[in-house]
Amino acid sequence: MITLGIESSCDETSVAILRDTTVIKNGIYSQTEHSQFGGVVPEIASRAHLEKIDHLTETVFAETDIKIKDIDLISVTDSPGLAGALLVGVSFALGLHTTLNKPITGINHLEGHIFSVLLENPDLSFPFLALVVSGGHTAIYTVHDTGKYELLGQTVDDAAGEAFDKVGKMLGFTYPAGRSIELEASMVQNEKSITFPVARISSNNLNFSFSGLKTAVKYFIKDKNVQFINENRSRICFAFQKAVIDSLSNNLASAVKSTKIRRIALVGGVACNQSLRDALQKRFGTDIRFPSPQLCTDNAAMIALAGYNRYRKKQLRFPTMNPSAPL
Ligand code: KG4
Ligand code: ZN
C-alpha cells in the first residue's frame, strides 16, 4: 500500500511516500526565511509553503518509480499549527483527493510526532509513554494504541523548543536556536557556577513550565556587558540546557512511576538534542527510543505512517483544518 504524507503546519514543507511502513521518500524543505525574525512569521510561512509544495511533490515522485496515480491513501496534517500554513497542505491534499479519487485522512501533528518513533522502531509495543518536545508543544502521553492517547502533563506556558529559541535570541543566535545552544553548551564539560531554576508545577501533576527559566536567563544577562556575555555564553547555554533536561527527565520519571510503563519514546524537534538523549538514556536505559534527527523535526513520513495505521484500524477522518485542536 502506498501512502502520500503531507505536512505544512509550521515552517517545514514536507511530502513523503511510504510503501506500507517503509519510507520510500521523505522530502523536506525547511524554511530559512524566518531566521532574521527570531521566530516563525505566519504570513511568510504560508507563502513559502505555497511556493514550494507543488515542486516538492513533483521532485519526490520523480526520484522514485512510483506515479502519483499509484497512491492508495493521502494523509495530511490538519491540526494543530498555523492556520495559513495548515491551509496550504490541506487544500493541496484535498485537490489530490478530488482529482485522483483516493481516500484521505486528516492527522493531528502530535500524533505524527508520536508515530515518528515507530518508523525506525517497529518493535516498540503499546502501551508506551511519549515525551513530545518541540517548538510548539511539550507534553507526556500514554500511547495505548493507534488513536488512543492519554495526556499526562503538558507545558502551562512556553514549549521547551520555544524556550531554546527565545533564550537563543537573547544570546545572539538566529532562529531556530536549539542546535546552536546545544553546540555552544558542548564547549563546557560541567558548569556549576551558573545555575537556573527547574520549574515543578505541583507534586500531583506532570505539567511543565519554561517561561520562568527563560525569564531567569533574561535577568541574569540583563546588566552584563557584551564582554561578559561573550566570555560566558557557553556556560549560560550549558546551565539553561541542563535546567530544561532536568525538568523533562524529572517529569518523565514521575510518569514512569505513576503508570508503571517503562517503554518510552522521545519525539519532536528538541529530541535532536544529544545531551538530552544521553541524559534520558542514562536514567531510563534501553527502555527509551528516539527517532533519528531528520525524523525528530517536522516531516511528512511520520504523518504518512500515522495515516497508514489509522487506515488499517478503519479510523480515517476527513481533514477538518483546526489550528488549535488538541491530540
Ligand atoms: O518538531 P519541530 O521541528 O517543530 C515543531 O513542531 O515545533 O521542532 C522545532 C524545535 C525548534 O524550537 C528548535 O529550536 C528545536 O526544535 N530543536 C532543538 C534542537 N534541534 C531542533 N532544540 C534543542 N536542541 C537541538 N539540537
Ligand atoms: Zn512538530
Side-chain angles (χ1 to χ4, degrees), residues 7 9-12 109-110 113 133-137 160-165 175-182 241 267-274 296-299 302:
E7 157 66 39
S9 65
C10 192
D11 56 343
E12 261 86 26
H109 182 76
L110 300 181
H113 273 302
V133 260
S134 71
H137 301 91
E162 190 179 356
F164 268 95
D165 296 333
Y175 173 86
R179 177 81 186 126
S180 309
I181 291 191
E182 179 180 12
Q241 181 175 272
V267 299
V270 181
C272 293
N273 189 289
Q274 193 57 46
C296 287
T297 46
D298 290 349
N299 68 87
M302 66 187 194

Side-chain angles (χ1 to χ4, degrees), residues 155-177:
T155 182
V156 296
D157 41 54
D158 291 347
E162 190 179 356
F164 268 95
D165 296 333
K166 288 179 176 169
V167 165
K169 189 178 179 191
M170 292 175 205
L171 294 170
F173 298 116
T174 56
Y175 173 86

Side-chain angles (χ1 to χ4, degrees), residues 21-129:
T21 58
T22 304
V23 181
I24 304 295
K25 218 70 211 169
N26 190 18
I28 304 169
Y29 171 70
S30 294
Q31 301 176 359
T32 49
E33 287 87 338
H34 311 284
S35 60
Q36 54 177 314
F37 300 107
V40 179
V41 183
E43 179 63 22
I44 295 177
S46 12
R47 281 172 190 273
H49 286 304
L50 204 53
E51 279 163 18
K52 279 284 175 312
I53 198 158
D54 265 329
H55 182 65
L56 183 64
T57 308
E58 272 171 19
T59 313
V60 158
F61 278 98
E63 288 170 358
T64 70
D65 56 357
I66 298 165
K67 303 275 171 283
I68 197 151
K69 65 172 175 43
D70 300 333
I71 61 175
D72 301 298
L73 173 69
I74 301 159
S75 180
V76 60
T77 307
D78 67 345
S79 59
L82 301 169
L86 285 169
L87 187 61
V88 176
V90 170
S91 313
F92 186 72
L94 287 175
L96 291 177
H97 161 70
T98 312
T99 344
L100 302 169
N101 197 19
K102 302 285 180 177
I104 188 167
T105 188
I107 290 292
N108 182 294
H109 182 76
L110 300 181
E111 181 176 18
H113 273 302
I114 290 172
F115 273 91
S116 68
V117 75
L118 294 167
L119 285 163
E120 295 163 320
N121 296 273
D123 60 319
L124 178 63
S125 57
F126 300 118
F128 61 87
L129 296 176

